[in-house]
């Protein structure tokens, strides 16, 4: 994951602790945590806890590092992360009910409802509730999207003379392609959906996407993990990644060496959501973390990490706007139309990918 450029910031005003947090439909969990408390109460208790342990929110993903630094500066809350996939995060929450080591996680949107259905989440709506689109939040606040990503192509121009700008280019080329672990990683699963959409499928029919990657595997063109290390060594020609990861990796390695585009036929836009562990040892620090992520400062931090903020009313400086891809590249990108169907489809992807794609991988 790319180490995002850190921008110098002035003093960030404390959150308006006199504001009341929006009420949750469920005011407490089995541990007696009151997620219906006012923001000043949550802030005070978070300071007393003094720690927040996250999963899937490393410094180098979408510039989380600045948010962790600012939580420490503003509230003396220390942080530690264990990086893992969305599926692994939920498995950890479930396995550690009696002795939780994680307080909050960042998961692909499809995993939010799953976490809720499994009874793993503590609801908290935050004071920014009305700024969040309906599609990007659970009605009770069990999960809330903080930022969006769109599937893009990152091409190493040292290896590929004519960088692909479309799925057709990718299909007809002879270069190697990487999407990572589609058995567990949300990003890789959305890459399959984006390919399916490009070739006539949708969230209820991902077979065209599976067929696309099967063909690449049969040709010996599907390879490896699209990590910074592998990209830097020139081992991957084209990586299919969220736009914020592609831009971040390019910045970390070499701005001139890599090309980043949203494929012209279309792509899929989705979001990553915070889930607060129902069994968290630092639940109030986790709630304050979600609050800060959705604040103006937190949303700007994500934009500095090349992620598009979920709150459309956040004003970004021109300097930060320039870090993102041109808006016109997104004209054919679309969100998932049927989230429930996509939830069901994601459960089928591991077996389909294993049996139809990986069996041909060389």
């Amino acid at each position: 994951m790319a180490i995002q450029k850190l921008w110098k910031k002035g003093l960030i005003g404390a959150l308006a602790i006199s504001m009341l947090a929006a009420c949750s439909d469920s005011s407490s969990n089995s541990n007696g945590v009151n997620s219906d408390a006012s923001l000043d109460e949550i802030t005070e208790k978070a300071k007393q806890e003094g720690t927040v342990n996250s999963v899937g929110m490393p410094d180098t993903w979408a510039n989380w590092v600045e948010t962790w630094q600012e939580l420490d500066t503003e509230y003396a809350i220390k942080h530690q992360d264990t990086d893992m996939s969305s599926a692994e995060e939920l498995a950890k929450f479930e396995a550690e009910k009696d002795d939780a080591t994680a307080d909050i996680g960042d998961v692909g949107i499809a995993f939010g409802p799953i976490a809720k259905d499994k009874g793993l989440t503590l609801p908290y709506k935050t004071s920014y509730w009305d700024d969040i689109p309906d599609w990007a939040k659970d009605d009770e606040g069990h999960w809330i999207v903080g930022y969006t990503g769109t599937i893009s192509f990152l091409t190493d121009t040292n290896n590929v003379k004519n960088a692909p700008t479309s799925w057709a280019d990718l299909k007809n080329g002879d270069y190697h392609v990487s999407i990572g672990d589609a058995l567990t990683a949300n990003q890789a699963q959305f890459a399959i959906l984006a390919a399916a959409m490009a070739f006539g499928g949708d969230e209820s029919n991902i077979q065209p996407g599976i067929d696309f990657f099967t063909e690449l595997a049969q040709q010996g063109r599907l390879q490896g993990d699209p990590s910074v290390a592998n990209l830097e060594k020139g081992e991957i020609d084209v990586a299919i990644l969220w736009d914020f990861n592609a831009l971040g990796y390019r910045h970390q390695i070499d701005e001139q060496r890599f090309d980043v585009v949203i494929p012209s036929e279309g792509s899929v836009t989705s979001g990553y959501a915070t889930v607060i562990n129902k069994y968290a040892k630092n639940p109030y620090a986790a709630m304050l973390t979600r609050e800060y992520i959705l604040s103006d400062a937190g949303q700007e931090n994500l934009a500095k990490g090349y992620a598009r903020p979920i709150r459309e009313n956040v004003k970004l400086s021109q300097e930060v706007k320039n870090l993102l891809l041109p808006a016109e590249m997104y004209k054919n990108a679309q969100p998932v139309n049927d989230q429930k169907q996509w939830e069901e489809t994601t459960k089928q992807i591991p077996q389909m990918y294993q049996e139809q794609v990986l069996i041909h991988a060389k």
Side-chain angles (χ1 to χ4, degrees):
M1 295 181 181
I3 298 176
Q4 321 297 355
K5 182 177 181 180
L6 303 183
W7 293 79
K8 293 182 179 179
K9 296 176 64 66
L11 293 176
I12 297 174
L15 295 170
I17 60 174
S18 60
M19 295 175 62
L20 294 179
C23 295
S24 163
D25 291 346
S26 177
S27 61
S28 64
N29 72 354
S30 59
N31 297 329
V33 178
N34 182 14
S35 59
D36 194 18
S38 65
L39 186 51
D40 58 346
E41 292 174 316
I42 288 172
T43 302
E44 186 57 35
K45 290 184 178 181
K47 287 180 178 178
Q48 292 172 9
E49 290 171 349
T51 299
V52 64
N53 296 312
S54 66
V55 283
M57 304 172 78
D59 288 357
T60 53
W61 178 284
N63 193 37
W64 282 125
V65 63
E66 283 203 68
T67 289
W68 303 131
Q69 289 172 341
E70 289 162 10
L71 282 168
D72 188 4
T73 299
E74 296 288 331
Y75 307 106
I77 293 174
K78 304 298 181 184
H79 167 258
Q80 185 171 346
D81 182 79
T82 302
D83 192 17
M84 54 183 62
S85 71
S86 298
E88 290 169 336
E89 291 178 46
L90 300 194
K92 185 177 181 67
F93 281 15
E94 192 162 26
E96 297 182 346
K97 290 180 180 179
D98 296 329
D99 188 18
T101 61
D103 302 311
I104 189 170
D106 186 47
V107 298
I109 188 173
F111 290 85
I114 294 172
K116 178 184 178 180
D117 290 345
K118 287 178 173 289
L120 301 174
T121 50
L122 173 68
Y124 176 59
K125 290 187 173 182
T126 92
S127 61
Y128 299 98
W129 183 253
D130 292 339
D131 294 344
I132 311 301
D134 289 342
W135 69 266
K137 61 189 178 185
D138 170 67
D139 290 344
E140 298 175 337
H142 285 271
W143 54 267
I144 301 178
V145 169
Y147 58 100
T148 63
T150 300
I151 292 296
S152 68
F153 298 164
L154 173 70
T155 302
D156 187 341
T157 58
N158 283 356
N159 298 346
V160 180
K161 183 177 179 181
N162 297 311
T165 61
S166 68
W167 292 99
D169 289 347
L170 208 61
K171 181 181 178 69
N172 297 325
D174 59 0
Y175 27 77
H176 291 89
V177 178
S178 174
I179 63 170
D181 183 8
L183 303 183
T184 62
N186 182 66
Q187 177 177 250
Q189 292 177 354
F190 268 97
I192 294 171
L193 176 58
M197 288 178 169
F199 295 106
D202 56 25
E203 57 267 33
S204 66
N205 174 25
I206 61 162
Q207 193 60 51
I210 293 290
D211 291 344
F212 173 77
F213 287 106
T214 296
E215 184 175 338
L216 294 185
Q218 290 173 332
Q219 295 171 358
R221 295 175 54 203
L222 194 63
Q223 67 176 140
D225 177 35
S227 65
V228 172
N230 289 341
L231 286 160
E232 192 166 16
K233 288 184 289 186
E235 294 182 353
I236 293 171
D237 299 334
V238 181
I240 304 179
L241 304 163
W242 292 122
D243 50 359
F244 59 85
N245 275 334
L247 291 167
Y249 293 178
R250 180 176 72 173
H251 172 76
Q252 180 180 351
I253 303 170
D254 186 343
E255 293 277 1
Q256 304 304 314
R257 177 178 159 189
F258 291 90
D259 181 73
V260 180
V261 299
I262 305 298
S264 58
E265 304 100 330
S267 188
V268 62
T269 295
S270 189
Y272 275 75
T274 53
V275 285
I276 298 173
N277 191 350
K278 180 179 180 179
Y279 305 94
K281 291 180 180 176
N282 304 293
Y284 294 99
M287 285 187 274
L288 185 62
T289 296
R290 176 182 280 176
E291 184 78 25
Y292 197 84
I293 288 167
L294 295 173
S295 71
D296 289 354
Q299 292 282 278
E300 184 180 60
N301 285 344
L302 290 165
K304 291 177 185 176
Y306 309 103
R308 291 182 175 263
I310 192 62
R311 287 180 51 214
E312 292 185 1
N313 58 349
V314 171
K315 295 182 178 179
L316 304 176
S317 69
Q318 191 59 50
E319 188 175 28
V320 174
K321 286 181 181 178
N322 290 342
L323 296 174
L324 307 177
L325 291 174
E328 56 266 26
M329 275 197 183
Y330 295 84
K331 63 182 180 180
N332 292 325
Q334 59 180 306
V336 171
N337 293 316
D338 188 339
Q339 191 62 45
K340 279 291 184 183
Q341 179 59 58
W342 177 234
E343 291 169 29
E344 292 304 311
T345 299
T346 57
K347 298 174 185 176
Q348 302 168 21
I349 288 177
Q351 183 175 354
M352 293 177 70
Y353 196 77
Q354 180 74 49
E355 294 179 353
Q356 298 182 49
V357 180
L358 291 184
I359 193 173
H360 300 291
K362 299 175 181 179

